Amino acid sequence: MEASLCFALLLCFPAFTSTVVLPQKRSAQGHGSDLEIYSFHMDCKVTSRFAHNVLTSRMANRANASREVTFDVELPKHAFISNFSMTIDGKPYVGVVKKKEEAKQQYDQAVSRGHSAGLVKVSGRKMEEFKVSVNIAALSKVTFELTYEELLKRHLGKYELAIKVRPQQLVKHFKIDAHIYEPQGISFLDVHAAFLTNDLAETVKKTVTQDEAHVVFEPTLDQQRKCPECSESILDGEFIIKYDVKREASAGDIQIVNGYFVHYFAPTDLPRMRKNVVFVIDRSGSMHGKKMQQTREALLKILEDIHEDDHFGLITFDSEVSTWKSTLVQATPEMVQQAKTFVGRITDRGATDINAAVLKGVEMLKISKEEKKLPERSVSIIILLTDGDPTSGVTNLEQIQSNIKKGIEGLYTLYCLGFGFDVNYKFLEKLALENGGVARRIYESSDSALQLQGFYEEVATPLLQQVELQYPGNGVSDLTENVFRHYYNGSEIVVAGHITKNDLEILSVQIKARASSSDLTLAAETPVEEQDEAVKKHKYIFGEYIERLWAYLTIQQLLSKTVSAQPEEREALNEKALQLSLNYNFVTSLTSMVVTKPEEGQTDRTMVAHKPTEAEQGDRVDFSRHGIVGAAALPVSPGRTSSRVSHKKFRLSSVQSLPSRHPIHFHHPVSSSLDDYDLSMQAPQPTHRASRPTHKARPTHTAPPPTHTADENPRFVIPVKNKQRSVCFEIAASSDSVILQLISDADSGITINGELGEAGKSKFQKIGIVYKDLYEIEFNTQGLSWSVKLIIPFKH
């Protein structure tokens, strides 16, 4: 019997932002009410900004037959998963963190045995998704428990604890329970969620004392309803707790537990330093339309908010580089108005010369300084905004990085903002990190202008530069980063380390920095034993939280350093980060969590949870300008483009071979071992053919258009030549103009997406094809018939 590998795609419009999702069933089956989430409990404990979150979800199958349930959770992008378990019929199945290569090998072995071992590899704009599905027996229950940890980062003067909520049904026992303990004291606390109506907001209970806060959100079934008679839940979105701490000591706050310390430094009441900023704006042809419009809107708003004693410059570039002024100018009202006029006239055209544009910004800063047009004590930064690879001038990425690093010479900071998913984020990230800055992805959506403004607000008010925190070298080891190029208002510097001297009584710190008018020196001393005992008096998740905070921060910084490190250094950094990830059971980009789950009537299945990097989001090609979603995307509702799809999802399932109704044939198996392959596709043909481009093509098979009702799902089978298997997929569509993923082969990197026309019609209006991040093609299926031949060379 010929085996088959089938991709089943059911267009039931699952939510992209669900926290716990039960798979929706077609109404004809009547299974929707059989599966129930009867308990959802989110337990958050935060001490000293370090959050330990445990999500427990209990589900029941009320049917007389087994059903599949899905645990679908979104968690903050910078969090590390540290534990996951399923309890089915009293038997626990616990996830194990392993080296990424070992986990991948176990996954591949499961696939080779014919198991549909799902590779969980998803990401989002602010969140990442963890998803696992499992069959549970009739009239039985399953408990899922996920633990993740993160260090809350201070942003514009506040910390934010975000919990994604979307159960997609009413939950009998629903509770969010957050405990916050901050030894420095809590200055304010607020709770916000878009779904909190006035009545529902009253169910949020807040208790704030000097150094502790407790937030409980426990709505009843009736309070969760969208309306009194509704069965739909109003809970849909982020439940956000925002707070800040009191700051009395100018040298910051030091906390010590079990031989590890953490030092938080966020001085207040410092005069702002004057700033020199050069905006380098991509105006190439790919910025056409909404990107260019939003960039202009953001720049106009930024110019309104720029301080009058700051200096600024504007550079636009395509294959040519243009400057508004040859040097930086002070942001007087007259200059700002002239700059607004210039910005309003920026139009897109030409290619992309990033090398020349950034070097022009460097030259502008150097000339302005040589001509003494800039204040002596000021901060100079360059902000690059681009949406594509360099295609003009110097195009070799390593050469560009070398040229810019040599030009900047450590004098200025470069921030790189990458517009959209098709930008080369790895290139921009390395370019920024090598020059003291960071890279940030700007998502193509209605709020892109606000994203640009938001980033500028983060760097708009520098208070210190060249900040160094010094600790006793003979008593402290394993320090995280303790030298920082800038400190911006509303942010925070965090340093952690290990106290190696057992008899150390006092931990001292000396802080040196360059301020607006003079050099700044601060000093502080903290009794080691007294601090340790003070913290132990308070209840918390575990006594070694500062040690885990140190490990978390160290791993984050090691992985960041690997981006710009040389090969030998990168290997050493990765090895150190890997060992810490394994020691502390963190799922990072170097480790994966292997989850073994039971399958009815079969051997256990293996799933692997992998944490993607920001750069890996670029694997999805953006077809939003043409209405086609790129690789690794699920169905999109009408009018929703891929720029609004916040993360990737995969679903693989084994089913029986389906009858071929209208086949699409691969003439070669999809295999990376081939030098190239030839993919020919042909739509169902009518009786009278329209004119067709004449070219030599291999024979294709056709079939008459199928006749089926809305409840009948068109099914496709793709035989693979010389392979004892077929590839098939199933589509169930009931909405107008639906975009859906037809085929996604992770091994070869091939993804094919199609856009359906009106409901009930099997014809695709558009087809999008992508091979990894190297090639893409999109075409319309106009006329009575169509045919396309695509040849893609594989790059090894």
Side-chain angles (χ1 to χ4, degrees):
M1 179 181 295
E2 182 180 86
S4 67
L5 174 66
C6 177
F7 294 77
L9 180 59
L10 304 180
L11 291 193
C12 52
F13 297 100
F16 289 103
T17 55
S18 55
T19 301
V20 177
V21 178
L22 289 177
Q24 301 180 24
K25 305 293 182 180
R26 286 165 283 178
S27 58
Q29 295 176 305
H31 296 161
S33 60
D34 295 341
L35 300 170
E36 176 191 5
I37 305 174
Y38 65 91
S39 176
F40 174 100
H41 188 188
M42 186 69 178
D43 181 63
C44 307
K45 289 185 171 63
V46 183
T47 285
S48 300
R49 293 71 142 170
F50 193 65
H52 180 271
N53 305 295
V54 181
L55 172 58
T56 305
S57 179
R58 294 179 171 88
M59 304 183 190
N61 177 15
R62 310 296 186 190
N64 292 320
S66 64
R67 293 284 182 266
E68 183 185 62
V69 297
T70 298
F71 180 70
D72 192 350
V73 182
E74 281 197 22
L75 54 150
K77 183 178 293 186
H78 297 294
F80 289 160
I81 293 174
S82 56
N83 187 48
F84 172 74
S85 66
M86 300 179 291
T87 303
I88 305 172
D89 295 330
K91 182 179 179 181
Y93 297 84
V94 181
V96 180
V97 176
K98 295 186 176 183
K99 187 177 179 180
K100 188 174 178 180
E101 289 74 10
E102 294 176 4
K104 181 63 164 60
Q105 183 179 12
Q106 189 167 343
Y107 167 75
D108 290 339
Q109 290 173 354
V111 173
S112 68
R113 294 194 298 267
H115 296 176
S116 60
L119 177 61
V120 183
K121 183 181 178 182
V122 292
S123 64
R125 177 169 170 173
K126 291 171 59 180
M127 314 288 279
E128 291 177 348
E129 184 188 40
F130 177 89
K131 181 177 179 179
V132 61
S133 298
V134 64
N135 284 317
I136 60 173
L139 305 175
S140 63
K141 299 177 181 180
V142 58
T143 298
F144 297 99
E145 184 175 288
L146 179 74
T147 303
Y148 63 90
E149 301 169 45
E150 65 170 325
L151 177 62
L152 303 183
K153 184 178 180 181
R154 191 166 185 250
H155 175 73
L156 299 178
K158 52 185 174 292
Y159 306 99
E160 182 175 295
L161 179 65
I163 304 165
K164 207 60 173 279
V165 177
R166 196 175 188 184
Q168 286 195 311
Q169 63 173 242
L170 303 178
V171 181
K172 185 177 181 179
H173 303 289
F174 183 98
K175 186 177 183 180
I176 294 176
D177 194 1
H179 291 265
I180 299 172
Y181 166 57
E182 291 288 351
Q184 288 178 252
I186 298 173
S187 61
F188 83 90
L189 182 141
D190 190 25
V191 178
H192 170 75
F195 57 79
L196 283 179
T197 62
N198 291 335
D199 292 338
L200 198 58
E202 295 179 359
T203 67
V204 179
K205 306 300 181 183
K206 296 185 295 182
T207 304
V208 181
T209 61
Q210 173 68 20
D211 55 7
E212 293 185 76
H214 186 204
V215 177
V216 178
F217 178 50
E218 195 172 8
T220 64
L221 281 173
D222 287 339
Q223 289 169 334
Q224 296 173 42
R225 300 181 192 275
K226 279 191 174 181
C227 63
E229 304 300 325
C230 294
S231 60
E232 296 179 346
S233 174
I234 196 174
L235 306 181
D236 184 358
E238 289 184 355
F239 185 86
I240 301 174
I241 301 173
K242 296 181 180 181
Y243 74 95
D244 199 12
V245 301
K246 297 176 182 178
R247 290 178 172 81
E248 298 177 356
S250 58
D253 181 66
I254 297 177
Q255 297 165 34
I256 305 169
V257 175
N258 295 343
Y260 284 83
F261 78 90
V262 60
H263 181 195
Y264 298 104
F265 179 60
T268 58
D269 301 325
L270 290 174
R272 64 178 296 274
M273 299 189 73
R274 286 180 284 187
K275 180 174 77 274
N276 317 305
V277 56
V278 179
F279 299 95
V280 182
I281 308 301
D282 188 345
R283 66 176 182 198
S284 60
S286 57
M287 290 288 289
H288 175 73
K290 197 171 185 178
K291 288 183 185 178
M292 197 73 260
Q293 175 189 342
Q294 291 173 326
T295 300
R296 286 193 295 264
E297 290 174 3
L299 284 172
L300 291 173
K301 183 65 172 66
I302 288 170
L303 288 170
E304 288 179 4
D305 296 337
I306 199 166
H307 290 274
E308 190 169 348
D309 58 354
D310 285 344
H311 289 70
F312 73 101
L314 297 170
I315 294 174
T316 59
F317 71 96
D318 45 60
S319 54
E320 299 178 353
V321 179
S322 300
T323 60
W324 168 55
K325 303 287 185 182
S326 59
T327 60
L328 276 71
V329 299
Q330 189 172 345
T332 62
E334 295 79 14
M335 286 292 103
V336 169
Q337 188 56 49
Q338 289 183 34
K340 286 183 177 180
T341 302
F342 174 80
V343 167
R345 294 173 181 170
I346 299 175
T347 57
D348 52 273
R349 64 181 189 185
T352 309
D353 191 346
I354 292 177
N355 182 77
V358 176
L359 290 179
K360 187 66 177 178
V362 174
E363 178 188 354
M364 185 181 290
L365 282 168
K366 287 183 176 180
I367 291 175
S368 299
K369 185 176 181 180
E370 290 171 359
E371 295 180 355
K372 301 188 182 302
K373 293 183 177 181
L374 305 181
E376 182 63 29
R377 285 181 176 269
S378 59
V379 174
S380 296
I381 63 176
I382 301 171
I383 299 177
L384 167 67
L385 173 66
T386 182
D387 76 331
D389 285 341
T391 57
S392 179
V394 180
T395 57
N396 181 278
L397 303 185
E398 293 183 356
Q399 186 62 52
I400 295 173
Q401 291 161 348
S402 175
N403 292 346
I404 291 175
K405 185 177 181 180
K406 184 178 179 180
I408 288 179
E409 297 178 311
L411 299 174
Y412 318 120
T413 302
L414 174 63
Y415 295 101
C416 297
L417 307 182
F419 216 126
F421 279 102
D422 47 356
V423 70
N424 189 332
Y425 189 84
K426 288 182 180 180
F427 163 66
L428 294 182
E429 186 178 34
K430 183 176 181 180
L431 195 61
L433 290 173
E434 285 187 333
N435 295 283
V438 296
R440 188 76 57 82
R441 191 186 299 277
I442 302 299
Y443 293 81
E444 291 182 65
S445 61
S446 58
D447 69 343
S448 295
L450 294 176
Q451 294 175 56
L452 291 169
Q453 292 168 224
F455 172 79
Y456 179 75
E457 288 176 2
E458 292 181 45
V459 299
T461 312
L463 300 182
L464 298 172
Q465 62 178 340
Q466 299 173 19
V467 185
E468 183 176 1
L469 294 85
Q470 301 173 345
Y471 306 89
N474 61 344
V476 170
S477 67
D478 300 317
L479 275 180
T480 59
E481 290 182 16
N482 65 322
V483 178
F484 304 86
R485 188 169 291 200
H486 300 124
Y487 166 69
Y488 294 103
N489 188 41
S491 65
E492 183 172 61
I493 288 175
V494 183
V495 180
H498 184 204
I499 298 175
T500 54
K501 192 175 181 180
N502 294 330
D503 60 348
L504 187 67
E505 297 181 356
I506 300 294
L507 177 62
S508 61
V509 60
Q510 187 175 56
I511 304 169
K512 296 182 178 181
R514 182 177 171 89
S516 60
S517 58
S518 62
D519 290 342
L520 178 71
T521 301
L522 300 171
E525 293 184 342
T526 302
V528 174
E529 186 174 349
E530 182 181 323
Q531 268 285 314
D532 202 333
E533 291 299 321
V535 175
K536 285 181 179 179
K537 292 179 182 179
H538 294 266
K539 294 180 180 179
Y540 188 57
I541 48 172
F542 38 66
E544 71 275 12
Y545 75 92
I546 290 184
E547 181 181 349
R548 294 187 69 82
L549 185 158
W550 163 81
Y552 172 96
L553 190 59
T554 301
I555 293 168
Q556 293 275 26
Q557 293 178 354
L558 288 171
L559 294 176
S560 179
K561 289 178 181 178
T562 62
V563 175
S564 56
Q566 295 300 315
E568 289 186 4
E569 182 188 4
R570 185 184 305 119
E571 185 176 349
L573 292 170
N574 276 331
E575 181 60 29
K576 186 175 180 180
L578 172 62
Q579 289 305 315
L580 285 173
S581 301
L582 294 173
N583 290 345
Y584 291 90
N585 212 56
F586 285 145
V587 177
T588 69
S589 60
L590 300 175
T591 58
S592 296
M593 177 170 285
V594 178
V595 180
T596 302
K597 63 172 187 173
E599 289 293 341
E600 187 177 7
Q602 302 178 37
T603 57
D604 290 349
R605 300 289 178 88
T606 299
M607 297 189 70
V608 178
H610 160 69
K611 184 177 181 65
T613 64
E614 178 69 31
E616 288 175 325
Q617 294 190 56
D619 292 344
R620 179 177 61 223
V621 178
D622 183 8
F623 284 99
S624 60
R625 293 187 294 274
H626 309 291
I628 296 290
V629 180
L634 273 178
V636 182
S637 302
R640 188 178 175 101
T641 65
S642 64
S643 60
R644 299 294 295 170
V645 180
S646 63
H647 45 258
K648 308 174 188 175
K649 295 189 177 182
F650 295 84
R651 183 180 179 185
L652 288 172
S653 59
S654 290
V655 302
Q656 298 298 319
S657 296
L658 301 174
S660 177
R661 297 191 181 178
H662 32 129
I664 301 175
H665 289 277
F666 283 87
H667 292 290
H668 290 298
V670 180
S671 171
S672 59
S673 63
L674 297 174
D675 292 331
D676 59 65
Y677 67 89
D678 181 349
L679 170 62
S680 295
M681 303 174 64
Q682 188 161 341
Q685 301 296 310
T687 305
H688 302 286
R689 295 190 176 185
S691 60
R692 163 186 291 180
T694 57
H695 62 275
K696 184 177 181 180
R698 303 184 183 187
T700 58
H701 300 271
T702 63
T707 57
H708 54 82
T709 66
D711 288 335
E712 288 183 49
N713 304 326
R715 296 173 175 180
F716 298 75
V717 173
I718 304 174
V720 181
K721 187 177 181 180
N722 299 326
K723 298 287 183 181
Q724 295 299 309
R725 66 174 185 171
S726 298
V727 178
C728 60
F729 58 85
E730 176 179 343
I731 305 167
S734 59
S735 295
D736 295 339
S737 187
V738 178
I739 298 172
L740 49 124
Q741 184 183 82
L742 305 183
I743 300 171
S744 180
D745 187 346
D747 291 336
S748 67
I750 290 290
T751 296
I752 303 176
N753 294 327
E755 178 178 337
L756 285 176
E758 299 176 2
K761 292 187 177 181
S762 60
K763 180 179 178 180
F764 292 107
Q765 294 182 147
K766 296 178 182 178
I767 295 289
I769 303 174
V770 60
Y771 168 59
K772 296 183 178 178
D773 56 354
L774 302 178
Y775 300 93
E776 58 182 325
I777 183 171
E778 182 265 329
F779 53 86
N780 296 319
T781 60
Q782 303 298 329
L784 297 178
S785 65
W786 52 266
S787 177
V788 67
K789 180 179 179 182
L790 174 66
I791 299 178
I792 304 177
F794 280 85
K795 293 187 176 181
H796 299 284

